[in-house]
Each structure stands twice: as C-alpha cells, then as structure tokens.
Amino acid sequence: MAVVAGVDFGTLSVRVSLVDSDRGLLASAVAEYPLHRKREDPEFATQSHADHMKALASAAREAVKKAGVAGDQVCSIALDTTGSSVIPIGKNLQPLDDYYLWCDHRAKAEAAEITEAARREKLEAIEWCGGVYSSEWGFSKLLHWLRHNPGKRGEFVSAFEHCDMVAATLCGITDAKKVKRSVCAMGHKWMWNASLGGLPPEDFLVTVDPLLTGVREKLHGEYATSDHLAGHLSAEWAEQLGLKAGIPIPVGAFDAHWDAIGAGCRSEDIVNVVGTSTCIIGITPSVKLVPGVCGVVQGSVHPKRTGIEAGLSAVGDIFQAIATRAGTDVKTLSEGLKNYRAGQTGLLRLTWDNGDRTVLVNPNLRGVTFGWNLQTTAQDELFAAIEGTALHTRVILDRMEQNGVTVRRVINAGGIPQKSDVLNQVYASVLGRPVLVPAGSVVSLGSAIFAFLAAGVFPTIEQAQDKICPKYRTFEPDPSSKRTYDKLYALFSKVYFAFGQPETREFGSVLPELIRLSESEQAKSAN
C-alpha cells in the first residue's frame, strides 16, 4: 500500500486528491482562487501565483484531514496546471506580474506576427504546431508582456509555465537555470522540439521583435518528460502542505494531458477533456503532423510516445454565459434537454465565443447562431451550443484522420461529461461512433499516476492505469440522430470555413471587423 497526492490546477480552483495504490481515491479537497477579468477588455485573464500557492496549501491540508491519513504517509506529490499560463519572473524566482492565463488572448497581434515571420523564414517548428502560432501560447504572451511593461524589462530573468513554476516553488528552487522545464508545456506552447535543436533560433526570435533578444538563453535549462523528477519537497512547503519533506515531485504537465492519462488513454485513443474549454488529447505511436492542430510533441502525454493536442477555446464557459444571460444557471436550464431531438431547435451554433483554437487557430472570431425565430428560447440555444461543440469536435477529428492519425477510441473526460448524459449522447451521434465516459471523476488521477511512478510504486503508466482508472459507461450513436447530424455537419462545415477564415472574401472579414469596431469604440469611450 502506498499513498500519493495528485494535484490539478484548473481555471478557478485547485484540487488535491489522496490516492491509495490498493484502495484508489481516498479523499479530495478543492480550494478556489480569483480569476481577474475586465469587462472593457474581454481578452484579459490573469491570476496570482500567491493565490495559487495559498489555495494549494489549504486544499492539501484539507485532503489529508478528510482522507484520515498522516501527512508523513504521503510518499510523493505530482501536479498539473492549465496552459499556456505564463509568468515573468525576476531574481530568486519572484513573480514580476500575474500569470497570463491560458484564456488570455491579449497577444493576438503578437501571435500573428510570429506566424507571419515563421512562414516567411520557413521555420520548421511552426509545422509541428499546425502551421499557426496562437495567442494562447508562450512566446506571444511573453512578447506582449515585454511590449507593455517597459519599466520591468530590466528585472526580467525568465518566464515559466505554471506547472514548472509551481514545482520549482515547492522544491525551494530559486535559481531559474535550475528549474526543470516540462516537455509537455514547452513542446506544445513554445515550439520546443528536441529534433530541431530545442527552441526556435535566436535569429528567428529577433526577427519577430528585437525585444526577444536573449530570451532564448533565458529559457535555457533542462527540458524533461514527466518520468523525470523536478526535485523534492522543501521543508518550508512540506510544513505548509502538511506533508513530509523530501518526497519526490515529478516534472509537471498540463491538466488535460494528465486527465487523458487518468481517463485511461492508450495509444490511438482520443480524449475530449470537456470543461470550461475542451482540450482534445491523443496518443499516437508515430509522428503525424496535422495542419491546424495545435501541437504534435514527442513525450508530452505519455513519455514514450507522441502526444497530439487540439481543442475548443470555450465550452462550459459558453453554456454558463447562455444561462447567465437567461438569469439562471446551467443545471436549471439543462432540465428537460433529454427530450430534445437532433436539429429540432432549427439553430446552428458556431461556438467561437472565445475564438477558435483548432483547426482555424483564429482568436478574431465570436459566437454565431443561425436560425433564431421569435419563439426561440435560451434552452434551445443551450442545446444548439452542445450540438455546436460536438460538430466542431467532428471537424477536428476529421482533420486528424485525413492526415493519417488513427482514432481507435473516443473518451469524454473532464467535469461536464460526468454531469451531462445529454452531451455524451449528442457527441456519440454527431461523431458516429461510441463515446466512452469514465464512471467516476478522473480529475487529478493522472497526477496521482505520475506521483506513483515518481515514488516507484508502479513500473509503468499502463500498470498504474489498470489499477487506478475507473471503468467506462458507453454511449452508442442513435441512428436517426446520426442521419440528422450528418446533414447539420454539412451546413456547419460550410459556415465554419466561410466565416472562420480571414482570406475568405465574402464572409471571412465580418467577425474580425466587428471586433475591431467594438475595440475602437471602447477605446474612444475610455479616453
């Protein structure tokens, strides 16, 4: 018997789970932290490192108490986080600012400049992240920070992904050069690629903007997969967490990637981690580059195989926004959705409320609903939004398969599939294949599995999965619904590409122009 702590930092809270190698999950505890938004700037989303660490300490102590075990019985702790959530740091690993959270899209212009330069300079690394660099990723956010914080540039030592920053903090590391950097984080969001010599060359970065001079060296260090250790828990943080000093901490990763492991993902599986957004995570035995798919990284999900990442920039956030506008909550608005039939609302919902992560990689988009009439309700829109997220997921899976990626099984993980059989059934019928849903929550189970590996309890990920991961419920496609969704998919694909691609002359400029007009008028109002 061995007990480990698995930690999952989400968008609004951190969960700490204590898991026993024989008995499974013993207890979990959750602590929240604020997300900073600005109504006048919908692209803004930040969080405080201090808030994260305070919440972690609180959740860890509560989890130990609820589990009824002594803190010194916990033999390892592992953690995953959102990403790309980027923090600039100064001397002694002190934050110079808050995290640019994954859903912060202020760096749209910087991302476009990086993409343009990469195509012009024929940078091979851009092909490994789908051919387009995103405003959700590291270099664009760091460049935005450098441009908008001239007074702090002299203090800048380095920048870290959330998972690496938290691990280093827990280990008591204060030298930026000694921090282990996650291959998962840096490969998917910073164009790091071992086969291409690591990060993009210095001369390329300087071509994008001279402010990036020297940044490559400042991001230097040991890049490692999660079967390596970031370090060991320091005495200071052991006391705050209520655990034993010196226990191993593996190199961290992103939440969706480890959620996929916790959901039992094996080679040629695809996991839809459906929460505030959706991360689509796959494991493949060989490298398959896919245009528009935001990351093909060797060792990112499973240390011995190639990971693929795609996704939707907003899902649960859209459902919540619809409910909020209707003056209710998602749970209440969802009552009766099981009686809806495919396509009955007459609505076609493009779920771009927070831009498009994959396959267009275009932040300059907004949600579109076709088919309103005077009797359309908020519940109709919610059902259409569920259909829209499923149809968008089909676009992504089709793109993968068209480029040689085998999809053996589809697994719906994350918080929403645990609560919504309606969503799971819609996905099965839209995708035209069975959808597997873990019978219990897998949040932080992936972290626990890597904690077990770090402690030497299980020799392989697969053996840990066989022991720890829950069984599945299966949702089969409904033949009648599938026929309807095949027709809707043809319409969805048509408008998805017509409105979503800037180069499309007839409609591609409509949504970006609306955004530019709104930003211009808001700027006038602010002045």
Side-chain angles (χ1 to χ4, degrees), residues 172-195:
I173 298 171
T174 57
D175 183 348
K177 294 293 186 184
K178 295 181 179 179
V179 177
K180 301 282 182 66
R181 293 186 184 267
S182 164
V183 161
C184 173
M186 302 304 289
H188 282 287
K189 310 301 181 182
W190 295 78
M191 294 190 285
W192 181 88
N193 188 313
S195 68

Side-chain angles (χ1 to χ4, degrees), residues 200-356:
E202 171 83 0
D203 57 359
F204 168 76
L205 296 175
V206 174
T207 295
V208 174
D209 192 308
L211 285 177
L212 293 175
T213 300
V215 163
R216 190 179 195 275
E217 175 60 27
K218 291 178 178 179
L219 297 176
H220 184 67
E222 183 179 344
Y223 287 63
T225 50
S226 294
D227 53 350
H228 292 77
L229 294 185
H232 296 82
L233 185 63
S234 70
E236 176 190 355
W237 279 99
E239 181 179 358
Q240 294 197 47
L241 271 59
L243 302 178
K244 180 174 60 176
I247 60 175
I249 303 175
V251 173
F254 289 152
D255 49 1
H257 298 70
W258 279 10
D259 279 351
I261 293 293
C265 184
R266 299 290 179 92
S267 189
E268 298 184 336
D269 287 350
I270 289 291
V271 180
N272 300 315
V273 184
V274 187
T276 53
S277 68
T278 288
C279 282
I280 298 174
I281 304 297
I283 298 174
T284 180
S286 59
V287 176
K288 302 285 186 181
L289 300 186
V290 183
V293 167
C294 55
V296 177
V297 178
Q298 292 176 286
S300 68
V301 183
H302 189 296
K304 308 300 183 187
R305 293 179 177 81
T306 300
I308 301 177
E309 179 187 356
L312 283 66
S313 290
V315 177
D317 276 349
I318 294 176
F319 303 160
Q320 182 60 54
I322 293 169
T324 299
R325 288 193 292 268
T328 184
D329 55 65
V330 175
K331 182 179 179 181
T332 302
L333 197 60
S334 297
E335 293 174 3
L337 284 185
K338 64 182 179 181
N339 298 318
Y340 275 65
R341 294 179 59 83
Q344 80 166 53
T345 65
L347 301 177
L348 188 65
R349 182 67 152 80
L350 293 171
T351 49
W352 287 333
D353 301 47
N354 200 27
D356 184 288

Side-chain angles (χ1 to χ4, degrees), residues 490-509:
L491 298 174
F492 185 91
S493 298
K494 184 181 295 185
V495 296
Y496 177 88
F497 290 104
F499 280 84
Q501 296 176 310
E503 63 271 20
T504 305
R505 283 178 295 183
E506 193 168 8
F507 299 114
S509 63

Side-chain angles (χ1 to χ4, degrees), residues 18-321:
L18 294 191
V19 182
D20 186 281
S21 58
D22 291 326
R23 294 176 289 166
L25 179 65
L26 300 178
S28 292
V30 175
E32 296 181 347
Y33 33 71
L35 167 61
H36 307 297
R37 289 277 200 182
K38 292 183 177 179
R39 179 173 174 79
E40 67 273 17
D41 184 0
E43 314 293 2
F44 184 97
T46 67
Q47 283 178 333
S48 159
H49 178 66
D51 287 344
H52 283 158
M53 300 309 295
K54 180 180 178 182
L56 173 61
S58 174
R61 286 188 167 276
E62 184 182 352
V64 169
K65 182 178 179 181
K66 289 171 67 175
V69 300
D72 60 9
Q73 289 183 259
V74 178
C75 61
S76 180
I77 181 171
L79 55 102
D80 62 47
T81 67
T82 64
S84 188
S85 292
V86 179
I87 191 165
I89 60 100
K91 290 181 179 179
N92 301 319
L93 233 66
Q94 291 302 305
L96 295 177
D97 217 324
D98 283 351
Y99 286 93
Y100 275 60
L101 203 62
W102 67 270
C103 50
D104 188 302
H105 291 166
R106 283 176 289 167
K108 292 188 295 185
E110 288 74 12
E113 291 171 42
I114 293 170
T115 299
E116 191 278 330
R119 291 175 175 173
R120 184 183 67 245
E121 302 295 325
K122 295 181 171 53
L123 184 73
E124 189 174 350
I126 197 70
E127 303 307 324
W128 289 74
C129 54
V132 182
Y133 202 75
S134 171
S135 62
E136 294 187 0
W137 299 350
F139 277 117
S140 52
K141 290 178 175 178
L142 177 56
L143 180 55
H144 183 277
W145 184 84
L146 289 168
R147 286 175 171 175
H148 290 82
N149 292 274
K152 296 180 181 179
R153 288 178 200 154
E155 302 175 65
F156 176 70
V157 170
S158 190
F160 286 101
E161 284 287 343
H162 189 191
C163 61
D164 296 332
M165 181 68 175
V166 175
T169 302
L170 292 179
C171 294
I173 298 171
T174 57
D175 183 348
K177 294 293 186 184
K178 295 181 179 179
V179 177
K180 301 282 182 66
R181 293 186 184 267
S182 164
V183 161
C184 173
M186 302 304 289
H188 282 287
K189 310 301 181 182
W190 295 78
M191 294 190 285
W192 181 88
N193 188 313
S195 68
L196 300 178
L199 293 169
E202 171 83 0
D203 57 359
F204 168 76
L205 296 175
V206 174
T207 295
V208 174
D209 192 308
L211 285 177
L212 293 175
T213 300
V215 163
R216 190 179 195 275
E217 175 60 27
K218 291 178 178 179
L219 297 176
H220 184 67
E222 183 179 344
Y223 287 63
T225 50
S226 294
D227 53 350
H228 292 77
L229 294 185
H232 296 82
L233 185 63
S234 70
E236 176 190 355
W237 279 99
E239 181 179 358
Q240 294 197 47
L241 271 59
L243 302 178
K244 180 174 60 176
I247 60 175
I249 303 175
V251 173
F254 289 152
D255 49 1
H257 298 70
W258 279 10
D259 279 351
I261 293 293
C265 184
R266 299 290 179 92
S267 189
E268 298 184 336
D269 287 350
I270 289 291
V271 180
N272 300 315
V273 184
V274 187
T276 53
S277 68
T278 288
C279 282
I280 298 174
I281 304 297
I283 298 174
T284 180
S286 59
V287 176
K288 302 285 186 181
L289 300 186
V290 183
V293 167
C294 55
V296 177
V297 178
Q298 292 176 286
S300 68
V301 183
H302 189 296
K304 308 300 183 187
R305 293 179 177 81
T306 300
I308 301 177
E309 179 187 356
L312 283 66
S313 290
V315 177
D317 276 349
I318 294 176
F319 303 160
Q320 182 60 54

Side-chain angles (χ1 to χ4, degrees), residues 268-272 393 397 407-412 423-437 472-479 482:
E268 298 184 336
D269 287 350
I270 289 291
V271 180
N272 300 315
T393 301
L397 297 192
V407 179
R408 183 173 63 93
R409 299 189 302 176
V410 174
I411 302 169
N412 270 9
L423 179 138
N424 297 320
Q425 187 58 60
V426 168
Y427 273 55
S429 297
V430 167
L431 300 178
R433 65 180 85 202
V435 168
L436 306 180
V437 180
Y472 299 112
R473 296 184 296 142
T474 302
F475 291 80
E476 297 285 348
D478 174 71
K482 182 185 180 304

